Amino acid sequence: IAEGYLRQLAAEGRGPEPLSNGRRLYSIEDIEQLRQFLDGSGKGGRRYVPHRREGEALQVISVMNFKGGSGKTTTAAHLAEYLAFRGYRVLAIDLDPQASLSALFGLQPELDVADNDTIYGAIRYDDQRREMAEIVRATYIPTLHLIPGQLELMEFEHETPKALMTREGRDSMFFSRIGEALAQVSDAYDVVVIDCPPQLGFLTLSALCAATAVLITVHPQMLDVMSMSQFLNMTAGLLDVVANAGAATEYDWMRYLVTRYEPSDGPQTKLVGWMRSILGGRVLTHPMVKSTAIADAGLTKHTLYEVDRQQFTRQTYDRAVESLDLVNGEIEALIKQVWKRA
């Protein structure tokens, strides 16, 4: 909304009361309250709350790559926060036993995440399985919830072969378990962002079968692109196998995101151009640029959206935030396209 309209609302005492100290300050809770207050009140019943409407399916985005260091967790964290700040109800799932996503949201996996507090608790094979709603945690962003990760996620990789050998038809297959767990809480969310582990195991395959969309991060270096090619070949073969076993593997969209991109690096620019010539529109238009601001924010377990602009050189900060917003805005547009919104 226009700044003038916001001033008018504040002067009339409509909506949340902002803190006043020479300037108006709104917390994220205030903004969410204001969004709810304004929804449907404008001309033509303009919508300010972007929640799913009737007929719009839950969007499950699996962020993945076989190679570590491709910016996968950074991408997942900033995408989840961006969508939450825009008013979507977002569930972020840390599927990586290293739990870097959990750490970015303030949870130390070995201290703050107990056994059975990860998604493993909802997809395990024994009688200790929990309901999904018991595992979901609130975060400091009202519209963003989190299922943290820790090393116990590896138990799913160890237990699945045993379950396959002793299965007597009473349990669902491994590839459908994350999808079934999400179905328990699907009405509470608009978008689910899954940070997949950097390996092609049972967890990743289950995340791929639960996904409605796939985002593959790739660092524009030849060795990384070669690794991605091998990863995709293996993934395609395995997905064919699980599809023959009854898994759903159709996606609304699949995109490649160029990460840690340095526009002044000639070889990187050439490699990105080569990728676009082969993959066409599957490569997102906007790359995620390499920035010391993103790296420095991560040192204090924060995303760039959470840190104070004054901590960085203004130009460095603005350039990094602009890059993140362009990437995440492009993904938001893909979600709206699936929902057939303007």
Side-chain angles (χ1 to χ4, degrees):
I1 62 176
E3 184 179 343
Y5 185 39
L6 186 60
R7 291 179 182 275
Q8 178 185 337
L9 290 172
E12 295 173 356
R14 298 164 61 197
E17 287 290 332
L19 301 173
S20 181
N21 185 19
R23 59 189 296 188
R24 292 187 174 90
L25 303 174
Y26 292 87
S27 69
I28 188 66
E29 289 82 8
D30 291 333
I31 293 172
E32 182 60 23
Q33 185 181 342
L34 185 63
R35 187 181 280 120
Q36 298 283 345
F37 174 76
L38 291 173
D39 192 51
S41 64
K43 293 181 179 178
R46 182 176 176 182
R47 302 294 299 269
Y48 292 90
V49 176
H51 295 176
R52 279 194 296 143
R53 300 159 196 170
E54 187 176 353
E56 295 177 342
L58 175 71
Q59 296 299 290
V60 182
I61 304 172
S62 288
V63 184
M64 58 187 303
N65 195 308
F66 189 60
K67 201 171 190 299
S70 66
K72 176 177 57 63
T73 298
T74 300
T75 298
H78 287 90
L79 174 61
E81 284 198 343
Y82 175 90
L83 293 172
F85 288 148
R86 300 278 286 175
Y88 298 93
R89 300 167 300 169
V90 181
L91 174 63
I93 300 178
D94 193 348
L95 210 61
D96 189 344
Q98 299 175 72
S100 299
L101 183 71
S102 304
L104 274 178
F105 287 116
L107 295 176
Q108 195 65 24
E110 62 270 21
L111 299 176
D112 303 320
V113 185
D115 291 343
N116 239 21
D117 278 353
T118 70
I119 198 171
Y120 174 68
I123 62 175
R124 61 189 302 161
Y125 297 96
D126 57 24
D127 56 6
Q128 295 185 52
R129 191 186 312 168
R130 302 176 65 188
E131 292 296 315
M132 191 74 154
E134 299 174 8
I135 299 170
V136 174
R137 300 191 186 197
T139 69
Y140 39 83
I141 301 170
T143 52
L144 176 60
H145 290 170
L146 172 70
I147 296 179
Q150 55 120 299
L151 281 173
E152 79 159 1
L153 286 166
M154 288 302 299
E155 292 296 322
F156 190 71
E157 304 292 344
H158 301 151
E159 294 297 325
T160 295
K162 298 178 186 177
L164 290 173
M165 288 187 291
T166 60
R167 185 170 177 265
E168 298 177 356
R170 60 180 180 276
D171 264 341
S172 56
M173 292 290 283
F174 71 90
F175 52 74
S176 63
R177 287 186 167 257
I178 290 180
E180 291 174 354
L182 286 175
Q184 298 174 21
V185 295
S186 61
D187 290 343
Y189 301 102
D190 307 305
V191 182
V192 177
V193 178
I194 304 178
D195 182 25
C196 296
Q199 62 187 41
L200 193 54
F202 296 114
L203 281 170
T204 301
L205 285 172
S206 188
L208 282 171
C209 293
T212 61
V214 176
L215 182 63
I216 301 170
T217 57
V218 54
H219 179 45
Q221 295 284 357
M222 182 52 72
L223 292 179
D224 292 72
V225 174
M226 290 170 61
S227 174
M228 180 189 72
S229 175
Q230 296 175 50
F231 167 68
L232 291 175
N233 276 326
M234 287 190 296
T235 304
L238 289 171
L239 286 180
D240 283 344
V241 172
V242 296
N244 290 334
T249 55
E250 292 186 6
Y251 306 119
D252 295 320
W253 52 267
M254 184 180 78
R255 293 292 184 275
Y256 300 88
L257 169 62
V258 176
T259 59
R260 297 170 56 203
Y261 177 58
E262 300 178 73
S264 59
D265 188 317
Q268 278 198 15
T269 302
K270 289 182 180 179
L271 190 56
V272 171
W274 178 71
M275 287 175 58
R276 293 189 189 281
S277 69
I278 294 174
L279 301 170
R282 289 185 181 272
V283 181
L284 289 180
T285 302
H286 303 288
M288 184 184 292
V289 299
K290 183 178 181 180
S291 174
T292 56
I294 297 175
D296 289 349
L299 289 175
T300 55
K301 298 180 182 177
H302 289 94
T303 69
L304 193 64
Y305 287 141
E306 297 171 356
V307 295
D308 194 327
R309 184 188 187 204
Q310 296 178 355
Q311 296 180 24
F312 306 95
T313 305
R314 180 174 298 181
Q315 183 178 4
T316 301
Y317 177 89
D318 290 347
R319 175 172 169 266
V321 167
E322 180 186 23
S323 171
L324 289 171
D325 285 349
L326 287 172
V327 168
N328 293 327
E330 195 171 348
I331 295 171
E332 182 189 9
L334 289 170
I335 294 171
K336 288 184 175 180
Q337 185 178 343
V338 173
W339 286 339
K340 295 181 171 56
R341 296 189 188 180

